[in-house]
Amino acid sequence: MESEPIWEKEVDRFTLQEYEPKPYSLGCVVIYNGLVYAGDPEDGDIDEMQFSFRDWGMEREEITAEQCFMVCQSLLWSNANVSISTFADCLAYALPDFEQEEDD
């Protein structure tokens, strides 16, 4: 039986959840609810994707939908949906890619 989140917030199509910390587990989850193209046309579209992190690394109440999108898209580009880093670390890693796109 899965445990229930101890905290949850919805921002646009994203649901942020935090679970009770446990050894060797990732307690923070971002769920994207909506049609997602994951990259391989043979895989097709999916309705929901989940991304897990060690912790938020920032004030969780201040996380925006734009930040969730950048982090999740960056992880998709890396063919990952899990990071042992924090959400904030992943955001810092993703920002240069999106700033470059704005400059182009």
Side-chain angles (χ1 to χ4, degrees), residues 47-80:
D47 292 331
E48 177 182 293
M49 290 198 76
Q50 180 172 307
F51 301 87
S52 300
F53 306 90
R54 181 183 72 216
D55 61 51
W56 300 116
M58 61 190 293
E59 180 57 48
R60 62 189 186 189
E61 292 292 342
E62 295 177 9
I63 296 173
T64 66
E66 181 180 28
Q67 291 169 329
C68 289
F69 172 77
M70 288 188 285
V71 168
C72 294
Q73 186 60 57
S74 178
L75 287 171
L76 279 174
W77 287 336
S78 300
N79 292 317

Side-chain angles (χ1 to χ4, degrees), residues 11-104:
V11 238
D12 293 334
R13 292 183 175 198
F14 295 94
T15 302
L16 287 70
Q17 296 177 333
E18 186 173 325
Y19 291 86
E20 192 69 42
K22 294 180 183 175
Y24 310 109
S25 69
L26 302 172
C28 299
V29 176
V30 175
I31 302 168
Y32 178 71
N33 302 297
L35 198 58
V36 176
Y37 174 66
D40 185 346
E42 293 181 14
D43 289 343
D45 295 325
I46 53 179
D47 292 331
E48 177 182 293
M49 290 198 76
Q50 180 172 307
F51 301 87
S52 300
F53 306 90
R54 181 183 72 216
D55 61 51
W56 300 116
M58 61 190 293
E59 180 57 48
R60 62 189 186 189
E61 292 292 342
E62 295 177 9
I63 296 173
T64 66
E66 181 180 28
Q67 291 169 329
C68 289
F69 172 77
M70 288 188 285
V71 168
C72 294
Q73 186 60 57
S74 178
L75 287 171
L76 279 174
W77 287 336
S78 300
N79 292 317
N81 69 339
V82 171
S83 175
I84 59 171
S85 298
T86 67
F87 178 88
D89 289 339
C90 291
L91 179 59
Y93 178 81
L95 281 174
D97 289 333
F98 287 91
E99 289 170 349
Q100 182 179 357
E101 281 187 15
E102 289 176 6
D103 292 340
D104 291 341

